[in-house]
Amino acid sequence: MDLPTTLDIRDLPEQLRNLVAKEIDRDEILGWIGQPSPRAMSRRATPLFMFGCVWTAFAVFWVCGAAEFELPDWDEGFDFFPLFGLPFVVIGIGMLSSPIWFRRSAKQTAYVLTDRRAVLFVKELTGIRVRSFKPKQLQNLERRQRADGSGDLIFYRDIGRDNDGDRTTSEVGFLAIDDVKGVQDLVEAVVAKHSADDSA
């Protein structure tokens, strides 16, 4: 079996590298380190970007309509009503820039597999979230693979509710990685080893 390519921990950004080094115990053996593909992650923002195009166009049209499609006449005073639409324009700009943020987030995210567990270091708005998964939590893997061998290794799906109370689902695992099948083999080897140790 050809082993998947692993990153050198020194190739990670400094903040991420220090976080990984502090998280892994001294007697813990690193088996694989990877990061999500920035290009693949930016592609995942396409639906949000497309929705942002429609949203922003409507918001700009509303602001222009509220201003009666005229530039403000400072001699007659300023009408503040069109300004109520500006927050929606800002939200639209945020959605339009989502591919950039997804790409930047990928560069600040790391996936680590050791002889004891899988660890996710995922960049979020407020910092880097660290999640650790023991072998018993890695027994029901799902692989989604692209033609080039890259893809997602999904540990489980996190189900929650949004602000409107609607159900939301987010996938948790090694996402947008190269050689996803090779990484799955490594994870399953760790799971098998611990299962054998537990039954011995």
Side-chain angles (χ1 to χ4, degrees):
M1 178 182 68
D2 294 333
L3 295 178
T5 302
T6 182
L7 286 177
D8 190 311
I9 191 172
R10 293 171 294 184
D11 294 332
L12 297 175
E14 182 178 2
Q15 179 188 11
L16 195 56
R17 180 172 67 247
N18 293 337
L19 195 59
V20 172
K22 290 179 181 178
E23 176 69 22
I24 305 304
D25 296 332
R26 289 187 177 182
D27 57 346
E28 201 167 0
I29 301 173
L30 282 173
W32 175 82
I33 301 176
Q35 288 188 283
S37 163
R39 177 179 295 181
M41 291 302 291
S42 63
R43 283 199 302 264
R44 295 180 183 221
T46 300
L48 185 58
F49 174 83
M50 297 302 294
F51 181 74
C53 290
V54 178
W55 175 287
T56 306
F58 178 80
V60 170
F61 181 81
W62 186 93
V63 171
C64 293
E68 298 181 349
F69 298 96
E70 295 179 353
L71 294 175
D73 187 347
W74 303 106
D75 295 332
E76 297 182 2
F78 183 74
D79 184 5
F80 287 92
F81 180 65
L83 297 181
F84 286 104
L86 291 183
F88 297 96
V89 175
V90 173
I91 292 172
I93 293 173
M95 288 189 282
L96 291 177
S97 62
S98 58
I100 298 174
W101 298 113
F102 275 52
R103 177 180 286 270
R104 291 184 63 180
S105 176
K107 293 180 179 180
Q108 293 294 326
T109 292
Y111 304 136
V112 175
L113 179 67
T114 76
D115 61 329
R116 299 180 186 175
R117 55 184 172 145
V119 190
L120 311 180
F121 300 83
V122 180
K123 174 64 176 176
E124 297 183 345
L125 288 176
T126 56
I128 296 177
R129 183 180 184 185
V130 182
R131 305 178 74 173
S132 180
F133 298 86
K134 299 294 186 181
K136 289 184 178 180
Q137 299 172 286
L138 302 171
Q139 295 180 346
N140 297 304
L141 301 176
E142 177 183 337
R143 185 178 81 248
R144 183 166 53 228
Q145 184 168 325
R146 298 170 62 89
D148 62 359
S150 65
D152 306 319
L153 188 60
I154 303 166
F155 301 165
Y156 77 99
R157 287 178 171 81
D158 202 358
I159 299 175
R161 299 283 178 179
D162 61 16
N163 293 333
D164 297 326
D166 297 326
R167 179 174 171 173
T168 61
T169 303
S170 59
E171 295 173 340
V172 179
F174 294 159
L175 307 180
I177 58 173
D178 295 330
D179 192 7
V180 63
K181 176 62 168 63
V183 176
Q184 181 181 9
D185 290 341
L186 291 180
V187 175
E188 290 178 343
V190 172
V191 173
K193 179 181 181 301
H194 280 264
S195 296
D197 291 343
D198 291 341
S199 60

